[in-house]
Amino acid sequence: MCMVFEISGGLVVREKKILMTFDDESEKWSVPTSEGERGELSAEAALRAVEEMTGCGGEVSRYRRRFKTSYEIEEETITWQPFSIELEGEPDQGEWVPISELEEKELVTPMDQVTDELVDRL
Protein backbone atom coordinates (compact mmCIF):
# COMPACT_ATOMS: atom_id res chain seq x y z
CA MET A 1 0.00 0.00 0.00
CA CYS A 2 1.40 3.37 -1.02
CA MET A 3 1.30 6.10 1.60
CA VAL A 4 0.82 9.74 0.57
CA PHE A 5 2.44 12.57 2.50
CA GLU A 6 2.60 16.30 2.05
CA ILE A 7 5.53 18.44 3.14
CA SER A 8 5.89 22.21 2.97
CA GLY A 9 9.00 24.17 2.10
CA GLY A 10 9.89 27.75 2.88
CA LEU A 11 11.67 29.72 0.18
CA VAL A 12 13.44 32.68 1.77
CA VAL A 13 15.04 34.84 -0.93
CA ARG A 14 17.01 38.07 -0.52
CA GLU A 15 19.14 39.86 -3.09
CA LYS A 16 19.11 36.89 -5.50
CA LYS A 17 20.19 34.50 -2.72
CA ILE A 18 18.16 31.69 -1.15
CA LEU A 19 18.47 30.63 2.48
CA MET A 20 19.51 26.99 2.66
CA THR A 21 20.76 24.44 5.15
CA PHE A 22 23.18 21.57 4.69
CA ASP A 23 22.00 18.17 5.89
CA ASP A 24 24.99 16.25 7.24
CA GLU A 25 23.16 12.92 7.03
CA SER A 26 22.33 13.09 3.31
CA GLU A 27 25.20 15.49 2.52
CA LYS A 28 22.80 17.61 0.48
CA TRP A 29 21.36 21.14 0.57
CA SER A 30 17.74 22.03 1.27
CA VAL A 31 15.40 24.83 2.25
CA PRO A 32 13.51 24.64 5.57
CA THR A 33 10.90 21.91 5.11
CA SER A 34 8.41 20.25 7.41
CA GLU A 35 5.53 17.83 7.41
CA GLY A 36 2.38 19.54 8.65
CA GLU A 37 1.07 18.91 12.14
CA ARG A 38 -2.54 17.90 12.75
CA GLY A 39 -4.85 20.80 11.79
CA GLU A 40 -1.99 22.89 10.37
CA LEU A 41 -2.26 24.42 6.91
CA SER A 42 0.59 23.86 4.42
CA ALA A 43 1.54 27.55 4.56
CA GLU A 44 1.71 27.38 8.36
CA ALA A 45 3.98 24.32 8.20
CA ALA A 46 6.35 26.12 5.81
CA LEU A 47 6.46 29.20 8.04
CA ARG A 48 7.03 27.06 11.16
CA ALA A 49 9.93 25.27 9.45
CA VAL A 50 11.55 28.59 8.55
CA GLU A 51 11.01 30.09 12.00
CA GLU A 52 12.39 26.98 13.75
CA MET A 53 15.49 26.97 11.55
CA THR A 54 16.22 30.68 11.61
CA GLY A 55 15.04 31.80 15.04
CA CYS A 56 13.29 34.72 13.29
CA GLY A 57 9.65 35.52 12.75
CA GLY A 58 8.29 35.69 9.25
CA GLU A 59 5.28 35.89 7.02
CA VAL A 60 4.09 33.80 4.08
CA SER A 61 4.02 36.04 1.04
CA ARG A 62 2.78 33.60 -1.60
CA TYR A 63 2.27 30.01 -2.63
CA ARG A 64 4.74 28.97 -5.33
CA ARG A 65 2.48 26.51 -7.19
CA ARG A 66 4.85 26.39 -10.16
CA PHE A 67 7.49 24.66 -8.00
CA LYS A 68 5.09 22.12 -6.47
CA THR A 69 6.26 18.60 -7.20
CA SER A 70 5.68 15.01 -6.16
CA TYR A 71 8.17 12.18 -5.83
CA GLU A 72 8.33 8.66 -4.46
CA ILE A 73 10.59 7.19 -1.80
CA GLU A 74 10.16 3.60 -0.63
CA GLU A 75 6.49 3.24 -1.60
CA GLU A 76 5.61 6.70 -0.26
CA THR A 77 4.39 9.48 -2.51
CA ILE A 78 5.47 12.84 -1.15
CA THR A 79 4.10 16.14 -2.44
CA TRP A 80 6.25 19.21 -1.78
CA GLN A 81 4.30 22.47 -1.34
CA PRO A 82 6.64 25.51 -1.59
CA PHE A 83 5.85 28.95 -0.15
CA SER A 84 7.77 32.23 -0.33
CA ILE A 85 8.51 33.49 3.17
CA GLU A 86 9.47 37.03 4.14
CA LEU A 87 11.87 36.78 7.08
CA GLU A 88 12.05 39.41 9.82
CA GLY A 89 15.67 39.82 10.90
CA GLU A 90 18.82 37.84 10.29
CA PRO A 91 18.78 34.05 10.60
CA ASP A 92 20.65 32.20 13.35
CA GLN A 93 21.39 29.30 11.00
CA GLY A 94 21.61 28.58 7.32
CA GLU A 95 23.62 29.90 4.46
CA TRP A 96 22.66 32.43 1.79
CA VAL A 97 23.33 30.64 -1.51
CA PRO A 98 23.29 32.69 -4.72
CA ILE A 99 20.44 31.43 -6.90
CA SER A 100 22.85 31.29 -9.83
CA GLU A 101 24.87 28.63 -7.90
CA LEU A 102 21.94 26.29 -7.14
CA GLU A 103 22.75 24.07 -10.10
CA GLU A 104 26.24 23.49 -8.65
CA LYS A 105 24.88 22.24 -5.29
CA GLU A 106 23.92 18.69 -4.42
CA LEU A 107 20.25 19.25 -3.55
CA VAL A 108 17.69 17.06 -1.77
CA THR A 109 14.70 15.69 -3.62
CA PRO A 110 12.46 17.50 -4.63
CA MET A 111 14.63 20.60 -4.94
CA ASP A 112 16.84 18.78 -7.44
CA GLN A 113 13.74 18.33 -9.64
CA VAL A 114 12.85 22.03 -9.75
CA THR A 115 16.31 23.63 -9.77
CA ASP A 116 16.13 24.97 -13.34
CA GLU A 117 12.76 26.55 -12.67
CA LEU A 118 13.96 28.03 -9.36
CA VAL A 119 16.95 29.61 -11.09
CA ASP A 120 14.72 31.04 -13.85
CA ARG A 121 11.94 32.32 -11.57
CA LEU A 122 13.47 33.47 -8.28
Side-chain angles (χ1 to χ4, degrees), residues 14-28:
R14 284 187 187 162
E15 300 172 7
K16 298 285 186 183
K17 295 178 182 175
I18 186 167
L19 186 62
M20 302 191 79
T21 57
F22 185 76
D23 179 46
D24 291 326
E25 187 175 318
S26 68
E27 297 186 345
K28 295 183 179 184

Side-chain angles (χ1 to χ4, degrees), residues 61-111:
S61 61
R62 68 187 268 206
Y63 175 50
R64 303 303 297 244
R65 180 182 332 240
R66 179 176 296 268
F67 305 137
K68 176 182 173 182
T69 190
S70 293
Y71 57 100
E72 291 187 19
I73 296 178
E74 299 177 14
E75 297 187 29
E76 294 179 346
T77 299
I78 302 167
T79 299
W80 186 62
Q81 301 276 14
F83 294 84
S84 289
I85 308 288
E86 298 297 325
L87 196 62
E88 299 164 357
E90 285 302 315
D92 293 338
Q93 301 177 55
E95 183 175 318
W96 291 105
V97 175
I99 293 169
S100 61
E101 294 177 14
L102 280 180
E103 294 169 329
E104 300 166 19
K105 298 285 187 190
E106 190 76 27
L107 301 172
V108 298
T109 301
M111 292 206 54

